[in-house]
Amino acid sequence: MEAIYIPRIAKAPNRTEEVQIQEFLAGLETLMPVRANLKVVHQGNYLEVAAQGEAIVTLTCHRCLKQYNHRLTIDTSEMIWLSETGEQPSMEEIAAEMAVDDLIETLPIRGYFQPNVWVYEQMCLALPVRQLCDNKCPGIPLSDRSANDLSDRRWSALEALKQQLPSIDLN
């Protein structure tokens, strides 16, 4: 996917570019190509970007460590500030109807917008923080060994030292 020259978006009909993405994105391991519809609207001093997309990723369960497939979907939008220098805007530059928190990203006004990088970032943000193969996943099964059974010989020295100490009654 090639980058879009930002002044080209301003000259497009309705100041809008629509992009269809159907490819494997570098850095994001998916079982199928990422499919996304992306719409970029040039609003003068910022870009309004919106996308809907999906992919299937293989995740590892945090409880039982089994791998499972997960459908990853995005339906998101973001406003990207455009500036001459590519730096964050000052308070005077932002229009009164726009919240400062909405303008986190910044691009040079005569720079390029990279749709595949933006979709990659949104897909990474959509990955679940808590990865569970099932809500009722019991986790890794524990063995029936007793707590006193030392399966690791490195603990034997500590156990011998513990036997040498007199028992202390704290009552």
Side-chain angles (χ1 to χ4, degrees):
M1 165 98 348
E2 68 181 55
I4 302 171
Y5 187 53
I6 293 172
R8 185 180 92 189
I9 302 169
K11 294 177 184 174
N14 297 327
R15 302 170 66 111
T16 303
E17 286 275 337
E18 293 193 29
V19 179
Q20 302 288 321
I21 296 175
Q22 186 163 351
E23 63 184 61
F24 289 99
L25 300 178
L28 184 65
E29 293 185 29
T30 58
L31 298 176
M32 60 180 236
V34 173
R35 290 186 296 223
N37 298 321
L38 182 77
K39 182 178 179 181
V40 183
V41 181
H42 197 293
Q43 300 287 6
N45 57 353
Y46 68 95
L47 294 179
E48 187 175 343
V49 185
Q52 298 80 35
E54 68 177 359
I56 297 176
V57 294
T58 300
L59 301 175
T60 302
C61 179
H62 288 164
R63 285 188 186 159
C64 67
L65 302 178
K66 291 180 185 175
Q67 290 190 331
Y68 67 99
N69 293 338
H70 175 76
R71 181 171 300 278
L72 192 61
T73 60
I74 59 169
D75 187 2
T76 187
S77 64
E78 180 180 21
M79 291 185 282
I80 302 173
W81 180 257
L82 299 175
S83 73
E84 291 292 333
T85 61
E87 295 181 13
Q88 287 293 92
S90 67
M91 293 302 286
E92 295 81 36
E93 294 176 293
I94 299 175
E97 68 273 0
M98 222 180 290
V100 177
D101 294 338
D102 292 340
L103 297 169
I104 297 173
E105 298 292 328
T106 305
L107 288 174
I109 200 162
R110 288 179 188 72
Y112 290 86
F113 174 74
Q114 297 178 323
N116 55 344
V117 172
W118 191 84
V119 169
Y120 165 80
E121 291 170 350
Q122 301 308 311
M123 286 285 187
C124 288
L125 289 171
L127 285 169
V129 175
R130 188 173 179 202
Q131 298 174 6
L132 299 176
C133 61
D134 184 11
N135 285 335
K136 297 178 183 174
C137 177
I140 298 173
L142 298 176
S143 64
D144 292 334
R145 293 184 182 159
S146 68
N148 294 333
D149 182 20
L150 297 174
S151 59
D152 190 341
R153 63 177 175 75
R154 294 175 289 181
W155 290 102
S156 62
L158 182 59
E159 185 64 29
L161 181 61
K162 185 177 166 186
Q163 296 300 323
Q164 293 174 5
L165 295 174
S167 91
I168 301 173
D169 188 18
L170 298 174
N171 291 330

